[in-house]
Amino acid sequence: MVLISIDTLRSDRLPAYGYTGVETPAIDRFRADAVLFARAYAHYPLTLPSHASLFTGQLTPENGIRDNAGYRLEPGYVPYLPRLLADAGYATGAFVSSFVLRGALGLDQGFDVYDDRTPEGEAANLWGPERRGTDTLAAALPWLKEVAGRPFLLFFHIYEPHLPHTPPEAFRDRWGDTYDGEIAAADAVVGDLLEALRQLGVYDDALIAVLSDHGEGLYDHGARAHGVYLYREAIQIPLLLKLPVSKHAGSTVEAPAQLIDLLPTVSEVLGLPTPEGLAGISLRALLGENPPLRPVFAETQYPRLHYGWSDLASLVDGRFHYIEAPRPELYDLELDPGETKNVLAENRRVYATLRDQLALYRRPLEVPAVEEDPEVVRQLRALGYLAAAGPVPEGPLPDPKDEMGFIREKLERAEDLIEAEDLEGAIVVLHELLEHNPKATDGWQILAGVLERTERLNAALVAWQRVLELTRGDVRAAVRAGGVQVKLGRLQEARLSAELAAPRAPDLTRALHTEIALAEGDLDRALELLGKATARDEATTDLRRRVGVACSRGGRHQVALRLLGELAEEEPTQAVLNALAIAQVAAGRRAEAVAILRQLLAADPEDSLARETAGL
């Protein structure tokens, strides 16, 4: 069984679904062997909740995962697809590309291998650390070759085409830094994986699903990204299923399908017992002449949790899509697939029926407590981190439709100013946003990063603490707050920040502990932690460089030369080569230092850092 999840991929942006703006030869070839589900839906427009439904076969109100941050799938939770296959003797491996799907959130249950390595330093974007699909594939292939001779489950997740849109150069040259460019890049990665399955001789007999967890706004209803709205562009996804020996190859199913159908489908096709009480059905039931037509539920608590607005829920039933909001909406998908005209007033009876049906799914929002050691919680609360932890406000809240325009305008303006290096202008815009909506978590997060870059460290720490309050302990915010505390010399507080993040983000926490050890001059501890680092990203490179410089200054010349020499081979940047040259001078290797400096100055005679080092 191979489960390929392409994050944030809209079905209507694939050639297999009729789109002509990009080329996806690998998915097109796969489509010829697979069944295409023309109307497949996710249940939540966020990565973690959607994958939780995929693996449990349960809707988010049932499995309890209602956001990307703050929620965890409890150990022993049943049903859970990877554990079902592991219990049946399958080798199970997961290789994911986003910090959002880290195994520490309970997703690694039942997996023999759960590879969630992502850059350990904070990514330079709002959506958190991710790794390229090509790197995730490189990690997956050795495991795949090892288990190819026995039954196995491979869960393979890539983050393209999620924001930010920065495809590799070959795709950027043709498609630009665009959503389509990242779709093309994702297609190439999927193609390489499928080709590996063919080369290993397991493709023909395998059950393979290619799908997405949710779509993307692309401004169809004013939102660039996803999470806030439940329009079709956010919840309608591609779903292609290749049955063993490509049975029903090339066929198309028009009946609605949903992510919670995957677990019963896998159980049936592989001959395993199907857990009781599941709302989904086997997708093979949709291949007959009279397929069952079922309503499809979706929800999003993102507006409530991130902005203090009303949450939304929706039901797709036949030709109609009902969205429950302070100002409810009803769309006729046959006459208006783009959902441009609210037809609720003309269809009051349909509206009433769907409203009553949706009420059967309605669910109270349970905000998870911060699950940490009581003493850690006490100290964090004393620091002000948990001041806002408590129930999410109930009662009438603003309709996201009425608020999203202002927030989007300010966020995008701030991001444009940041890209143009106008950080002061970005700070002004972000303050305007937060004055309008003090609960806008995303605004606080971006502001905190900009304040760090402008060396306003005390203000940055306040902003990161505000993110921690609003998110009830988001691990990325804890790590970033800890990094600022290190710079301010508040090392005990930095340790507490690390304690908050450690259970759910060990890699990010390791980098923070390295920073703390470096600040304390504990080179042995810093080197020990650095040796465990798995990422090779810009932030980790800078940390390795600074540890090497500290070793040189501390008289540990051989260690410094080894560390900086290895780093120079991997990342021969100006800063790294200069650091190596200085370490060589300190170790009495002036000839080697001169050779590096000549190389730098030949490339750029005005390299001020190299000139300064040469003078020394």
Side-chain angles (χ1 to χ4, degrees):
M1 168 65 196
V2 180
L3 182 56
I4 301 172
S5 175
I6 307 173
D7 210 290
T8 321
L9 178 59
R10 285 172 55 154
S11 59
D12 63 357
R13 296 301 283 261
L14 278 182
Y17 284 79
Y19 183 61
T20 59
V22 72
E23 295 175 4
T24 55
I27 294 176
D28 293 348
R29 180 183 177 188
F30 178 74
R31 189 271 177 273
D33 295 333
V35 180
L36 182 146
F37 293 85
R39 298 175 59 204
Y41 295 94
H43 308 287
Y44 208 108
L46 288 177
T47 297
L48 177 60
S50 195
H51 282 92
S53 287
L54 174 67
F55 282 135
T56 64
Q58 294 183 327
L59 300 173
T60 46
E62 297 175 285
N63 63 45
I65 308 300
R66 313 296 275 278
D67 194 19
N68 280 343
Y71 290 83
R72 184 186 317 186
L73 202 64
E74 293 303 318
Y77 196 95
V78 290
Y80 196 65
L81 179 60
R83 189 169 57 246
L84 295 175
L85 292 182
D87 290 346
Y90 282 65
T92 53
F95 299 84
V96 305
S97 298
S98 172
F99 175 80
V100 173
L101 291 182
R102 58 197 183 279
L105 297 178
L107 299 177
D108 56 2
Q109 301 174 54
F111 282 106
D112 303 325
V113 174
Y114 197 99
D115 188 329
D116 57 2
R117 292 172 291 172
T118 53
E120 295 178 12
E122 175 70 12
N125 65 77
L126 178 63
W127 298 275
E130 64 173 289
R131 63 175 166 183
R132 292 282 190 189
T134 50
D135 295 333
T136 305
L137 180 60
L141 288 179
W143 179 86
L144 181 60
K145 293 175 182 177
E146 181 181 331
V147 302
R150 55 178 288 200
F152 66 87
L153 164 67
L154 169 62
F155 170 51
F156 182 74
H157 166 266
I158 56 178
Y159 215 41
E160 297 92 347
H162 195 287
L163 283 164
H165 298 146
T166 55
E169 184 176 354
F171 302 97
R172 188 185 311 125
D173 289 345
R174 181 167 185 186
W175 309 105
D177 287 330
T178 63
Y179 186 71
D180 288 346
E182 291 230 331
I183 290 175
D187 178 75
V189 174
V190 171
D192 289 343
L193 173 57
L194 295 174
E195 184 57 31
L197 294 171
R198 295 183 185 100
Q199 293 294 326
L200 291 170
V202 298
Y203 176 86
D204 290 341
D205 291 332
L207 174 65
I208 305 174
V210 174
L211 51 81
S212 182
D213 54 348
H214 55 76
E216 188 71 309
L218 302 180
Y219 299 108
D220 283 5
H221 287 86
R224 177 178 66 161
H226 54 273
V228 172
Y229 291 145
L230 292 176
Y231 300 112
R232 285 180 60 244
E233 63 265 17
I235 62 171
Q236 188 162 345
I237 58 170
L239 173 56
L240 297 98
L241 184 69
K242 190 198 81 67
L243 295 166
V245 299
S246 299
K247 191 174 182 180
H248 303 288
S251 60
T252 299
V253 172
E254 296 289 343
Q258 48 190 337
L259 280 184
I260 60 170
D261 293 336
L262 260 293
L263 193 156
T265 302
V266 173
S267 297
E268 182 187 75
V269 173
L270 300 184
L272 304 176
T274 300
E276 296 181 358
L278 297 182
I281 62 174
S282 171
L283 291 169
R284 292 205 298 188
L286 304 182
L287 291 167
E289 293 184 1
N290 297 300
L293 301 178
R294 306 159 295 157
V296 179
F297 168 84
E299 71 159 348
T300 177
Q301 297 288 342
Y302 187 92
R304 181 183 291 269
L305 292 170
H306 288 255
Y307 292 102
W309 303 336
S310 174
D311 58 289
L312 304 176
S314 83
L315 208 62
V316 176
D317 193 3
R319 64 187 288 181
F320 288 101
H321 183 196
Y322 168 60
I323 301 176
E324 187 172 81
R327 289 188 291 110
E329 302 164 72
L330 183 70
Y331 296 99
D332 187 330
L333 299 181
E334 289 186 8
L335 299 178
D336 180 25
E339 298 179 320
T340 62
K341 182 183 179 183
N342 185 357
V343 297
L344 187 147
E346 305 97 286
N347 297 273
R348 304 295 298 186
R349 184 171 296 178
V350 173
Y351 156 62
T353 300
L354 294 181
R355 180 196 59 201
D356 292 345
Q357 288 182 1
L358 187 59
L360 300 176
Y361 296 87
R362 283 309 249 167
R363 61 288 164 233
L365 173 63
E366 295 182 4
V367 179
V370 179
E371 299 175 349
E372 304 296 338
D373 181 90
E375 177 60 19
V376 173
V377 171
R378 185 191 67 77
Q379 296 182 63
L380 290 171
R381 193 178 299 278
L383 288 170
Y385 280 5
L386 306 181
V392 174
E394 297 293 334
L397 293 172
D399 193 314
K401 297 188 292 294
D402 299 330
E403 297 287 332
M404 188 63 182
F406 180 87
I407 297 294
R408 187 201 75 221
E409 176 189 348
K410 294 299 182 182
L411 283 177
E412 292 182 7
R413 176 61 178 155
E415 290 168 355
D416 289 343
L417 289 168
I418 292 169
E419 187 174 350
E421 295 295 327
D422 184 358
L423 302 185
E424 299 299 330
I427 290 172
V428 171
V429 172
L430 289 166
H431 277 302
E432 291 173 353
L433 182 156
L434 294 168
E435 183 177 352
H436 175 78
N437 185 348
K439 296 180 180 180
T441 306
D442 296 348
W444 283 109
Q445 187 168 331
I446 297 174
L447 176 62
V450 176
L451 291 170
E452 273 194 72
R453 291 177 60 181
T454 57
E455 297 298 321
R456 294 174 171 89
L457 297 182
N458 285 300
L461 182 56
V462 170
W464 282 122
Q465 289 174 329
R466 183 61 176 150
V467 176
L468 280 160
E469 292 169 4
L470 291 169
T471 60
R472 295 161 176 79
D474 176 70
V475 292
R476 285 185 291 148
V479 169
R480 290 296 293 271
V484 175
Q485 288 159 336
V486 170
K487 294 175 183 177
L488 290 170
R490 297 161 64 169
L491 301 185
Q492 183 57 35
E493 294 176 22
R495 288 192 186 89
L496 291 173
S497 296
E499 290 292 337
L500 176 61
R504 291 167 289 168
D507 286 344
L508 286 177
T509 308
R510 185 182 301 117
L512 177 54
H513 278 302
T514 307
E515 294 275 7
I516 295 170
L518 195 58
E520 293 179 322
D522 188 347
L523 294 180
D524 289 331
R525 176 64 172 158
L527 288 166
E528 176 190 357
L529 291 166
L530 205 60
K532 297 178 181 178
T534 56
R536 288 295 181 262
D537 63 292
E538 183 178 348
T540 309
T541 295
D542 181 65
L543 190 55
R544 294 166 70 196
R545 178 189 63 80
R546 289 190 286 116
V547 172
V549 169
C551 288
S552 177
R553 291 173 178 169
R556 304 175 68 163
H557 300 303
Q558 295 305 313
V559 175
L561 291 175
R562 174 183 58 79
L563 189 60
L564 293 170
E566 293 173 352
L567 189 55
E569 290 182 3
E570 299 172 22
E571 300 286 343
T573 63
Q574 177 200 42
V576 168
L577 292 174
N578 268 288
L580 178 57
I582 293 173
Q584 287 172 332
V585 171
R589 299 185 178 184
R590 297 187 180 182
E592 290 94 331
V594 168
I596 291 175
L597 294 168
R598 283 177 173 162
Q599 172 188 338
L600 286 170
L601 291 170
D604 181 8
E606 301 303 318
D607 184 334
S608 59
L609 185 56
R611 289 165 66 89
E612 181 181 350
T613 306
L616 293 173

